[in-house]
Amino acid sequence: MTVSRDPRDGALDGLTVVDASTLFAGPMTAMHLGDMGADVIKVEHPRKPDPARGHGPAKDGVNLWWKTLGRNKRAVTANLSSDGGREVFLALAAEADVVIENFRPGTLERWGLGYDVLAEHNPGLVLARVSGFGQLGPYRDRPGFGTLAEAMSGFAAMTGEPDGPPTLPPFGLGDGIASLATAFAVMVALHSRQQTGRGQVVDVAIIEPILAMLGPQLTRWDQLGTLHERLGNRSGNNAPRNTYRTKDGQWIAISTSAQSIAERVMRMVGKPEVIDEPWFATGAGRAQHADELDDAVAAWVAERTREEAMAGFDAAQAAAAPVYDAADISGDPQFQALGTIHQVEDPELGPMVMHGPLFRMSGSDAVIGFTGRGHGADTDAVLGELGFTAEDVARLRAEGSV
């Protein structure tokens, strides 16, 4: 079933992934795998496409987010709760290496498509199950989204200004982190298959990967009985660390996690005397004097344009970055040098720009072969590859199964 997508086949060429998930964590996992060369087959309900097709901005009625989220995926429709849709899904799973799903726990089993059934047809199959709360526990049946993970993981509690409310991110942070964890878990399961010859179930609860990214908050609570407080843009681990407004109304961000960087910054801004203070010798000590350090840096930055301030930090070999928006990113020479920004030809909108794969490899190219496809655009072709005749497909379509 694997198709030749591009002469520069990726590292996962030959891997077939069935993406039966919706919205973000599962589909983003499949996107990452597709970027690396896997043949990804996106399965959607014939009358209820992935809701992500309607999220975010559109141009001329064409959804823009889907062009990225659905890239490198062939689009197939199947109603998995119907007999015909079940037939199609079993045929897909029998030829696949990986199936990704994010239905509520128990849904596949109710449709007669649990892992025991899928494994009878394909013992090597890896089934990645992505849900808000996982396949176990008292919350397993609750609807779950990344927002709930951002709340329950401790992220929102530690994010925002000290006197403000808990703050949620304006994008799918929990889903994005879960997608990376799921892609990693899938590759671990595939490596295990090489050793055992058998696939397995991967259970990813979206509430867990983001929790793992938030540092030792649990250990801190266990050992010290203290909680991570909201600090705005500051850090409890070091200072100065903040965003600072420049003379031309722009912003820059700095980090002084390394002691040597902190010393360079304070010399640069004209406050070398603080370096000799006993409290300056550790990040935690500097964080306790964040007001003093921030005031010095902010005053220095405020007297300079963003370009001038960045030149000063570069000359001092101190860590700083401009606060960018999409327009800035598009013109930045570092992103251009890395090849981060890809221009892809889209059949509906023509040339369009999107972020590229997550990393580069010296021996394998990651490729955006095509943008997000129309709902069910490849149903006939994919079913034909599986051995369904034109008459079979017509029958399935007539009964609403595809």
Side-chain angles (χ1 to χ4, degrees), residues 3 14 16 23-24 38 49 56 91 95 98 133 200 225 254 297 315-316 320-321 325 328 336 341:
V3 295
T16 299
L23 291 171
F24 304 115
E95 297 294 327
V98 179
F133 303 101
Q200 59 183 294
I254 75 167
V297 175
D325 57 23
D328 296 314
Q336 292 173 355
I341 303 166

Side-chain angles (χ1 to χ4, degrees), residues 289-347:
H289 292 77
D291 286 343
E292 177 182 352
L293 300 178
D294 263 349
D295 288 346
V297 175
W300 185 90
V301 171
E303 295 175 350
R304 291 159 175 82
T305 65
R306 185 172 77 178
E307 183 178 355
E308 291 167 345
M310 286 302 304
F313 277 96
D314 286 343
Q317 297 185 9
V323 176
Y324 273 174
D325 57 23
D328 296 314
I329 294 168
S330 297
D332 183 85
Q334 181 61 32
F335 285 119
Q336 292 173 355
L338 292 172
T340 305
I341 303 166
H342 288 226
Q343 181 169 289
V344 188
E345 189 69 29
D346 179 75

Side-chain angles (χ1 to χ4, degrees), residues 160-162 231-236 238-246 250-257 265 287 289-299 301 310 313 319-323:
E161 295 299 324
L231 298 172
N233 288 324
R234 288 179 173 176
S235 168
N238 63 82
R241 190 264 199 180
N242 214 323
T243 58
Y244 306 90
R245 191 177 180 90
T246 62
Q250 303 297 313
W251 294 85
I252 64 171
I254 75 167
S255 174
T256 58
S257 296
V265 169
H289 292 77
D291 286 343
E292 177 182 352
L293 300 178
D294 263 349
D295 288 346
V297 175
V301 171
M310 286 302 304
F313 277 96
V323 176

Side-chain angles (χ1 to χ4, degrees), residues 167-253:
T167 302
L168 296 168
F171 63 98
L173 178 64
D175 286 299
I177 294 174
S179 77
L180 297 175
T182 307
F184 170 58
V186 163
M187 300 313 297
V188 171
L190 290 173
H191 179 73
S192 175
R193 186 179 70 176
Q194 289 183 326
Q195 299 169 312
T196 66
R198 299 195 64 82
Q200 59 183 294
V201 177
V202 169
D203 176 11
V204 177
I206 299 176
I207 58 174
E208 289 185 299
I210 186 172
L211 173 62
M213 297 296 105
L214 295 178
Q217 60 167 334
L218 292 177
T219 305
R220 172 179 173 171
W221 171 249
D222 172 65
Q223 295 296 308
L224 300 175
T226 61
L227 299 173
H228 193 298
E229 63 272 32
R230 288 194 287 283
L231 298 172
N233 288 324
R234 288 179 173 176
S235 168
N237 301 316
N238 63 82
R241 190 264 199 180
N242 214 323
T243 58
Y244 306 90
R245 191 177 180 90
T246 62
K247 185 170 69 174
D248 54 348
Q250 303 297 313
W251 294 85
I252 64 171

Side-chain angles (χ1 to χ4, degrees), residues 279-293:
W279 51 262
F280 197 87
T282 66
R286 297 197 307 275
Q288 292 176 4
H289 292 77
D291 286 343
E292 177 182 352
L293 300 178

Side-chain angles (χ1 to χ4, degrees), residues 18 36 81 163-164 195 199 206 234 275 388:
V18 175
M36 295 299 130
S81 65
D163 57 351
Q195 299 169 312
I206 299 176
R234 288 179 173 176
I275 297 172
F388 289 83

Side-chain angles (χ1 to χ4, degrees), residues 61-78:
V62 179
N63 182 267
L64 298 180
W65 201 345
W66 184 257
K67 293 299 181 182
T68 297
L69 188 63
R71 72 190 188 194
N72 294 331
K73 301 179 184 181
R74 298 195 286 165
V76 170
T77 60

